[in-house]
Amino acid sequence: MRLRALLDTDALGLRLLGGEDELDRTVRGVMTTDLRDPSRYLSGGELVLTGLAWRRDAEDSEPFVRILVAAGVAALAAGEAELGDVPDDLVVACAKHRLPLFAVHESVAFATITEHVVRQVSGERAGDLAAVVDRHRRMMTSGPAGGGPDVVLDLLGSDLDLSAWVLSPTGRLIAGPKVGGPELPADLCARLAAEHLAAARTGRRGPHRVTLGAAPYALFPIRSWGHLPAVAGEGRSAQGARDVRETVLSDWLLAVAADAGDWPEERLDLLQGVTQLIAVERDRRDAARTVRRRLAQEVLELVQTGAAPAEIAARLRVAAPVLLPGLGAAPHWQVVVARVEWDGGDIEGGPVAQSLLEEILVDPLATGPEPSDRIAVAHTGDEAIALVPLPAVSTEHDGSETGIHADALLESVRDPLAAGLDEDGRVTLGVSAAVHSAEGLRGALEEARHARRVAAARPGRVCAAGHQELASHVLLLPFVPDDVRRAFTARLLDPLRDYDRRHRAELIPTLEAFLDCDGSWTRCATRLHLHVNTLRYRVGRIEQLTSRDLSRLEDKLDFFLALRMS
């Protein structure tokens, strides 16, 4: 606002004592002080209010005014409540340094002036920011992204003093202020996401106001409608005539550290504009996933139709550079299956499950514009299937567990998602073991699907199971698919077969003989015409490669079953 506008407001009780030629100066803030040297608290552009308690005699005015001018203040307003008329020495000093001077009538409180200035300046800043947001939106809509959500969040902080963050439905921090903004702890992100999902299920319009600890937050939904199909029917919300369950598990949110309860409509509209701007960026990122989704769909169709392993391997070689740029080495692969189901209603869960897997399988160590650019997810019906590449762990099998673990996956998403599922939805996840060839991919898919069925048999709104839970005794049950049995056999014996192929070590024949001899070192060594120390070395190598212990009955049984089924 301009200094001239202060004189036009009669309620402020201001009278100009000097500086008429400087009334077009811009006021960026207001400060009340009676310090002799307030420079440490000034940043420039302020209207300084003072009761003149700093003045002891006429000689004090000159240095005080000089300090204000050096700090770049816009003007000085002196109260008449204590000394009556403003002293002439202060009028002379302000005129000398061309600092506009106002007298404040004794009936007007400094708080009244402060409130007026703050309200006017804040409104102008909001208007300026709205223009920036609108310009940024047009830029992002018509061409390449103009810096992403971080730029707008920085503007919210610098122009409106609002700290804000963009979060995923599981509480992953997608964007935050880059300049001077506070960090948001991971546990707080998850709690904010859960609060947002719970509020969204009630159908209330945002922003949703919550208080965590002693801090208030306003939660604005960021809706991206482009990647989900419209579904006709009952139970639709007012926004776009859609059932909220179609998007609740995929919408981002804007969390603002403030209580929006007393915000004017202009500020609420501004924040809604910010969410629309971020939604543009969300749609852009979704569009960038199109290639990876298509690759996943092609591989999935080949696997499910029983295509030759060589054809699948050729498709994987095409996919590897896209999903693992720059790594070069042929990756191992894991399969993760997710299913989203709702009680009642004709809601297709596949698109939501696809979006959800793309979110929860984000690689935090990935480089590039978006850390999810190493995930390929396809969907069919209510099920989504993720093809997750893993860098080749080693040329030697050491039996170590790599990749995604069902327990860790469940722990990271259970609480926020459960809030969004409420009492009528379920998410179940299944995770396969890592495979290192096209031959194993079909078995990995069936293994992940079976693990998901195991998870679905458990209580709870969000459940997951991994390949480790498909124990060997379960494989004896008749309902277990043949592909799952093959996957179990390959996972246990492939490390030994690979080692035999490279080193001609005959570990598989040694294992068969050792089991046939009931673990007798002497009888097995005699049958194989080996020294017992050589036999011990081979058995030790078998245990090292498979992370099993041939002195344990359970592991002997696993090997026995795997050899019989192979």
Side-chain angles (χ1 to χ4, degrees):
M1 65 178 299
R2 304 289 183 180
L3 286 175
R4 192 179 304 279
L6 295 174
L7 290 175
D8 296 336
T9 307
D10 295 337
L12 299 183
L14 295 179
R15 181 164 47 90
L16 184 64
L17 299 180
E20 185 174 0
D21 295 339
E22 305 292 334
L23 291 181
D24 286 329
R25 291 187 182 186
T26 299
V27 179
R28 297 186 177 88
V30 62
M31 177 193 175
T32 300
T33 184
D34 277 316
L35 295 174
R36 297 172 67 87
D37 182 2
S39 58
R40 73 185 72 178
Y41 305 109
L42 297 171
S43 57
E46 295 92 350
L47 170 66
V48 175
L49 305 175
T50 180
L52 301 177
W54 50 267
R55 181 183 178 278
R56 298 172 185 171
D57 52 46
E59 285 73 21
D60 291 336
S61 294
E62 169 71 20
F64 181 77
V65 171
R66 192 165 54 244
I67 289 171
L68 298 186
V69 171
V73 303
L76 174 65
E80 296 179 327
E82 290 294 329
L83 301 180
D85 292 339
V86 176
D88 291 339
D89 48 270
L90 182 59
V91 176
V92 171
C94 287
K96 175 182 177 181
H97 294 281
R98 302 180 63 84
L99 179 65
L101 176 62
F102 298 94
V104 182
H105 193 272
E106 60 181 357
S107 64
V108 178
F110 282 176
T112 300
I113 300 174
T114 299
E115 182 179 353
H116 176 83
V117 172
V118 168
R119 185 166 58 249
Q120 294 298 316
V121 170
S122 179
E124 290 178 1
R125 284 183 176 177
D128 292 343
L129 180 57
V132 173
V133 168
D134 184 65
R135 183 172 67 254
H136 202 67
R137 183 191 301 117
R138 291 197 301 270
M139 289 171 57
M140 294 180 70
T141 303
S142 61
D150 297 337
V151 174
V152 183
L153 300 185
D154 282 337
L155 289 172
L156 287 176
S158 62
D159 284 21
L160 293 184
D161 296 326
L162 292 177
S163 296
W165 305 264
V166 178
L167 305 177
S168 77
T170 62
R172 179 173 68 90
L173 181 63
I174 295 171
K178 296 292 187 183
V179 182
E183 293 185 1
L184 207 61
D187 60 336
L188 182 54
C189 289
R191 292 174 64 193
L192 288 171
E195 293 282 355
H196 167 72
L197 290 176
R201 284 306 310 274
T202 66
R204 299 197 311 269
R205 184 185 179 189
H208 308 301
R209 297 163 59 194
V210 301
T211 300
L212 297 180
Y217 293 89
L219 308 179
F220 294 80
I222 300 172
R223 293 192 168 91
S224 179
W225 302 100
H227 63 294
L228 292 176
V231 181
E234 298 180 354
R236 300 297 181 253
S237 66
Q239 291 117 352
R242 293 176 181 270
D243 191 316
V244 68
R245 293 175 296 181
E246 294 178 55
T247 60
V248 67
L249 299 184
S250 57
D251 285 342
W252 290 357
L253 70 136
L254 177 69
V256 182
D259 185 351
D262 58 351
W263 281 6
E265 285 297 324
E266 292 80 4
R267 179 166 290 200
L268 289 172
D269 289 344
L270 171 61
L271 268 295
Q272 295 293 351
V274 170
T275 65
Q276 294 170 13
L277 174 58
I278 297 172
V280 172
E281 176 66 12
R282 169 72 185 275
D283 288 338
R284 189 181 302 280
R285 295 187 187 190
D286 278 346
R289 291 173 175 164
T290 301
V291 173
R292 295 188 293 278
R293 289 174 173 175
R294 186 171 65 247
L295 287 172
Q297 193 70 46
E298 292 174 353
V299 172
L300 177 62
E301 290 175 357
L302 290 174
V303 170
Q304 293 189 124
T305 57
E311 187 177 357
I312 299 174
R315 188 66 66 184
L316 288 176
R317 284 194 294 272
V318 173
V322 176
L323 300 176
L324 285 177
L327 291 185
H332 293 188
W333 302 93
Q334 253 182 309
V335 175
V336 181
V337 173
R339 191 176 182 90
V340 176
E341 299 171 290
W342 301 99
D343 298 338
D346 186 18
I347 301 174
E348 186 181 7
V352 176
Q354 180 183 51
S355 179
L356 196 57
L357 277 186
E358 288 174 335
E359 160 57 34
I360 65 180
L361 296 178
V362 164
D363 180 3
L365 301 179
T367 58
E370 170 61 20
S372 62
D373 60 2
R374 294 184 178 179
I375 304 162
V377 186
H379 75 83
T380 173
D382 290 333
E383 182 182 71
I385 301 165
L387 185 65
V388 182
L390 307 171
V393 293
S394 174
T395 57
E396 298 282 340
H397 290 279
D398 59 5
S400 61
E401 290 290 341
T402 61
I404 298 166
H405 296 267
D407 290 344
L409 198 63
L410 180 62
E411 184 67 23
S412 65
V413 302
R414 178 173 48 208
D415 292 344
L417 291 185
L421 293 165
D422 198 19
E423 296 298 323
D424 60 348
R426 289 202 78 196
V427 171
T428 50
L429 303 160
V431 182
S432 79
V435 296
H436 58 281
S437 66
E439 289 85 351
L441 202 54
R442 185 177 180 186
L445 174 58
E446 292 302 326
E447 188 175 57
R449 281 175 165 163
H450 184 60
R452 193 208 62 77
R453 289 193 290 268
V454 170
R458 296 172 176 168
R461 290 291 164 188
V462 185
C463 298
H467 64 91
Q468 301 93 336
E469 299 174 66
L470 306 182
S472 56
H473 65 275
V474 176
L475 300 176
L476 300 176
L477 300 177
F479 71 86
V480 178
D482 289 340
D483 283 335
V484 176
R485 305 185 191 199
R486 285 194 292 270
F488 170 80
T489 301
R491 188 169 68 252
L492 197 58
L493 298 184
D494 274 3
L496 306 183
R497 290 170 177 154
D498 289 351
Y499 192 88
D500 282 348
R501 186 164 53 250
R502 290 193 303 272
H503 302 287
R504 300 180 182 180
E506 298 187 350
L507 295 185
I508 292 290
T510 301
L511 175 61
E512 291 175 329
F514 188 75
L515 294 176
D516 287 344
C517 294
D518 297 325
S520 169
W521 296 100
T522 302
R523 282 193 290 135
C524 184
T526 300
R527 175 185 294 191
L528 296 175
H529 307 290
L530 296 174
H531 190 280
V532 71
N533 287 342
T534 302
L535 176 62
R536 291 183 185 279
Y537 172 80
R538 288 187 181 180
V539 171
R541 176 63 68 178
I542 291 170
E543 293 176 333
Q544 179 185 13
L545 293 173
T546 61
S547 296
R548 300 297 183 108
D549 184 352
L550 279 167
S551 67
R552 298 177 69 247
L553 177 61
E554 295 88 344
D555 288 341
K556 287 180 182 177
L557 179 60
D558 281 356
F559 280 121
F560 176 82
L561 290 171
L563 289 168
R564 289 297 180 271
M565 290 188 295
S566 64

